[in-house]
Amino acid sequence: MISLNKETIKISSEKDVVLFRQRLREYATKIGMSVLNQTKLITAASELVRNILVYAGSGETTIEVVSERLQTGIKVIFKDNGPGIADVNKAMQDGYSSGRSLGLGLPGAKRLVNFFEIKSTVGHGTTVTIIRWKK
Amino acid sequence: MDRIPILKMGPFLLVTIQVDMYDRLALNLENDLIIMVQKNGSKGVLIDISAVSIVDSFMGRIIGNIATMSRIMDAETIVVGMQPAVAITLVELGLPLSGVHTALNVEKGMALLQKKLADDLTEDSESEAEMDDNDQSE
Amino acid sequence: MSNTTSKILTKRKKDVLQVWVENQAEDPAVREDLMANDELHAQSAELLNSFIEAIKSNNYEDIEAPEYYQVTEIISGISLTRAQLGFSPRETATFVLSLKRSIIQILQEELKEDQSTLISEILRISDLLDSLSLVTMETFIKGREEVIIRQSSEINEISTPVIRVWEGILALPIIGTLDSERTQVVMENLLQEIVNSGSSTAILDISGVPTVDTLVAQHLIKTVNATRLMGAECIISGIRPEIAQTIVHLGIDLAGVQTKATLASALQYAFRKSNLVVAKKKNS
């Protein structure tokens, strides 16, 4: 996989979320992603960036334009140093929530993207990586 | 603090969301709307989201909340003008908003609310008439 | 090891090219109908030039190295166009493999006196050209894959027409299997047409769907839900008896989905909802 363009945005308040979503849309538009795929990508990202704010308080996101074989897409990494997730498998189930939400965040986000990877260590934080291809 | 304006149109309330939503803004809208429904004794709420490009699970939950809360207060909520990409994304996300009424645009939404209002009135008068009958038979 | 091959090939480039083009022309597999001779000549010359440049580095092993960028680029380009033009894998591979024969022929002439050098040089060059011909095959397959992807998305496009049957009523007959990719196309087309036409009713006819399993049912329910979110109603018609049976046996919950046996009855239902009446004209 080749990385073409990269940008890191710090997340510590809701204002950063708005900025982050705008930047993500700009990147997606620039590579010519369809409106539907843009909507899916940004919605998934919106869920994941909320998790940073709710569970860790702050963290950072990296938006990257990537290319592999014949396809181009956007990769986003969400990284925080929060409490981490004790049981990742459980957190990936529909309707499971440790907070006050619908519990659709993680599994829902996974359904909206082409690649989804979550790594979490209790006490050290969580890193989620997603990729949505252009087509 | 940022707020989304709520317009009063006769017995109904109209909200047109034109900005990028974030969680605080959505929560404020929920609060403001419920207070307005109570203050005006509104019979219906129209939420126009035709300019909204992202509805995530939080925003979806707020819309669901508004619908349920206003129903308890005797007002119907209709979400109008959802973009195709948003509708598909919500369904994939697993959030079909089953408790919420929908319409293609503000015009159709308004017509739907008016019809519901008219139906309610005739039902009320019918049930009153029935009660009258019962009174007479007794 | 001294770079004997490079020196020889630089010196006798013209001869190699001539032998190579002749070799290709002799091959019964060469398709004159698909590619003109001068085009073949130009492609061969271009590749040979950059190949000779590349081996000047005395690197015969690593074709990922920068000096081979141009060579692999040319080879990939040629295989890709050949895949799209409809060449067979054999015809495409012959292009690079015949270069091997021509080079070995020239080396034999030049190194007649020195058998041991000849053998070691032949080994090196043939290993190198083998890996390059693998590149040909890889890109060839990739090119074919591209054709397949394009075709299947075209099939998806044309096999999901949205028809305006009446003002405010859309119909979408689905023929063939409904997988998740197709469902996306169906949803996108249907919802966009709802916006464009301002329709409030859509009929999804599944008479042409061979089987409905849990997954297909899920896709149908998704489409119905997305339509409802837009503010329109989606009716599913064309439920054959065997489909009704599988739906019940699989325990699929279609509650909340308006279903009709035939497109005609779905249309009737849609008319009634829009306050339309279809009546037979009385003979006066």
Side-chain angles (χ1 to χ4, degrees):
Chain A
M1 195 179 296
I2 314 161
S3 168
L4 303 170
N5 205 345
K6 206 168 169 174
E7 180 179 340
T8 300
I9 298 171
K10 293 224 180 305
I11 302 292
S12 58
S13 76
E14 283 199 358
K15 295 276 170 224
D16 301 329
V17 174
V18 175
L19 175 81
F20 162 72
R21 291 204 300 213
Q22 276 166 2
R23 293 297 292 156
L24 188 54
R25 185 175 292 279
E26 278 167 32
Y27 274 91
T29 316
K30 205 155 54 186
I31 66 162
M33 192 181 276
S34 73
V35 175
L36 177 58
N37 286 346
Q38 277 190 32
T39 309
K40 286 182 173 178
L41 171 69
I42 300 170
T43 308
S46 184
E47 302 289 344
L48 296 168
V49 83
R50 172 172 307 105
N51 280 353
I52 293 185
L53 278 183
V54 172
Y55 296 106
S58 67
E60 65 175 39
T61 56
T62 308
I63 307 172
E64 208 175 314
V65 177
V66 290
S67 171
E68 187 182 74
R69 285 166 62 87
L70 294 164
Q71 41 190 1
T72 310
I74 304 254
K75 173 168 152 184
V76 193
I77 303 170
F78 305 82
K79 196 172 166 0
D80 69 55
N81 299 315
I85 302 166
D87 190 342
V88 172
N89 288 333
K90 209 168 172 186
M92 287 308 296
Q93 279 166 21
D94 263 329
Y96 175 80
S97 170
S98 62
R100 218 172 40 89
S101 68
L102 294 171
L104 284 171
L106 286 179
K110 187 181 178 182
R111 281 194 289 269
L112 295 176
V113 293
N114 302 111
F115 174 85
F116 185 99
E117 186 190 66
I118 180 163
K119 282 184 185 147
S120 188
T121 319
V122 174
H124 285 90
T126 307
T127 303
V128 180
T129 307
I130 59 171
I131 298 174
R132 175 90 229 179
W133 299 115
K134 198 169 120 179
K135 285 200 169 177
Chain B
M1 197 184 282
D2 294 339
R3 290 211 126 76
I4 291 168
I6 301 169
L7 301 176
K8 183 177 175 294
M9 296 178 76
F12 309 127
L13 297 177
L14 174 64
V15 183
T16 306
I17 303 175
Q18 303 260 15
V19 291
D20 221 351
M21 286 300 271
Y22 51 89
D23 297 2
R24 189 73 244 159
L25 201 57
L27 281 171
N28 286 345
L29 178 66
E30 182 187 299
N31 268 327
D32 295 352
L33 254 180
I34 300 308
I35 292 168
M36 284 282 275
V37 168
Q38 198 259 331
K39 207 169 83 186
N40 297 304
S42 305
K43 290 287 165 209
V45 177
L46 272 183
I47 306 177
D48 178 11
I49 59 164
S50 55
V52 175
S53 51
I54 301 294
V55 176
D56 62 10
S57 69
F58 188 85
M59 180 67 186
R61 179 163 65 134
I62 297 290
I63 293 175
N65 284 355
I66 291 174
T68 318
M69 290 172 188
S70 41
R71 192 172 308 125
I72 299 173
M73 299 171 70
D74 195 27
E76 284 294 340
T77 303
I78 298 185
V79 172
V80 302
M82 187 181 288
Q83 288 176 15
V86 174
I88 296 175
T89 304
L90 272 179
V91 168
E92 294 283 349
L93 193 64
L95 202 70
L97 297 179
S98 2
V100 183
H101 295 288
T102 51
L104 276 177
N105 49 41
V106 175
E107 209 182 333
K108 290 195 171 162
M110 198 60 97
L112 200 63
L113 276 181
Q114 254 143 9
K115 194 171 160 285
K116 280 186 189 295
L117 191 61
D119 286 354
D120 275 1
L121 288 177
T122 47
E123 254 178 48
D124 284 351
S125 56
E126 271 170 20
S127 54
E128 272 167 29
E130 270 174 34
M131 286 223 297
D132 288 349
D133 287 350
N134 289 345
D135 286 347
Q136 279 169 359
S137 64
E138 267 175 29
Chain C
M1 201 181 270
S2 68
N3 202 346
T4 323
T5 309
S6 168
K7 279 175 209 136
I8 295 173
L9 291 187
T10 316
K11 195 175 75 189
R12 301 200 46 189
K13 190 156 83 184
K14 267 206 184 108
D15 301 318
V16 176
L17 182 61
Q18 203 194 339
V19 176
W20 185 23
V21 173
E22 275 167 14
N23 275 343
Q24 291 185 67
E26 275 169 22
D27 195 306
V30 157
R31 304 279 296 267
E32 276 173 41
D33 55 329
L34 288 176
M35 191 175 281
N37 253 332
D38 45 347
E39 202 180 336
L40 185 70
H41 197 276
Q43 279 184 349
S44 307
E46 194 191 3
L47 177 62
L48 186 62
N49 275 332
S50 58
F51 178 76
I52 291 173
E53 277 308 306
I55 57 170
K56 275 182 185 161
S57 66
N58 207 12
N59 165 12
Y60 285 75
E61 283 89 33
D62 180 17
I63 57 162
E64 305 272 327
E67 54 265 30
Y68 281 96
Y69 278 173
Q70 214 188 339
V71 178
T72 45
E73 191 83 355
I74 295 171
I75 291 182
S76 306
I78 291 172
S79 332
L80 216 56
T81 24
R82 289 192 173 196
Q84 280 152 1
L85 283 173
F87 277 74
S88 76
R90 168 187 277 271
E91 287 155 5
T92 311
T94 305
F95 182 59
V96 174
L97 289 176
S98 60
L99 172 62
K100 182 156 97 180
R101 239 173 76 204
S102 332
I103 291 178
I104 291 174
Q105 193 179 330
I106 300 294
L107 286 180
Q108 271 172 332
E109 287 172 29
E110 286 287 319
L111 295 168
K112 258 190 296 220
E113 317 298 320
D114 188 354
Q115 284 297 317
S116 66
T117 319
L118 176 63
I119 290 170
S120 65
E121 289 299 312
I122 285 179
L123 274 178
R124 279 170 96 195
I125 202 90
S126 85
D127 277 353
L128 172 64
L129 283 164
D130 285 350
S131 9
L132 286 176
S133 70
L134 284 179
V135 172
T136 322
M137 287 328 292
E138 274 169 10
T139 15
F140 181 81
I141 291 167
K142 222 189 257 178
R144 280 292 169 90
E145 271 171 9
E146 254 181 280
V147 173
I148 294 169
I149 290 168
R150 203 189 57 231
Q151 284 173 344
S152 60
S153 75
E154 264 169 25
I155 291 172
N156 270 344
E157 265 325 305
I158 55 173
S159 60
T160 47
V162 185
I163 307 155
R164 294 191 198 188
V165 271
W166 204 264
E167 207 192 310
I169 303 170
L170 299 176
L172 206 163
I174 301 176
I175 295 163
T177 325
L178 198 59
D179 57 10
S180 59
E181 200 148 311
R182 184 117 185 259
T183 312
Q184 289 289 312
V185 180
V186 166
M187 278 205 263
E188 272 188 85
N189 288 353
L190 180 62
L191 300 197
Q192 196 51 54
E193 198 52 34
I194 287 176
V195 174
N196 294 349
S197 64
S199 301
S200 53
T201 313
I203 305 168
L204 211 60
D205 188 79
I206 59 165
S207 320
V209 177
T211 47
V212 174
D213 55 11
T214 328
L215 216 59
V216 174
Q218 242 172 41
H219 292 142
L220 289 174
I221 293 170
K222 269 186 195 170
T223 311
V224 171
N225 282 338
T227 316
R228 200 191 59 82
L229 279 174
M230 302 274 305
E233 189 185 5
C234 186
I235 309 161
I236 295 180
S237 75
I239 315 255
R240 299 191 308 270
E242 60 267 32
I243 286 183
Q245 278 176 322
T246 25
I247 287 176
V248 173
H249 287 157
L250 289 172
I252 298 164
D253 184 16
L254 282 184
V257 179
Q258 187 65 247
T259 51
K260 296 282 170 198
T262 61
L263 181 62
S265 52
L267 200 54
Q268 232 163 18
Y269 172 84
F271 279 150
R272 205 165 50 241
K273 279 208 66 176
S274 327
N275 291 325
L276 291 165
V277 180
V278 181
K280 201 169 191 172
K281 200 171 153 190
K282 274 186 194 141
N283 280 330
S284 51

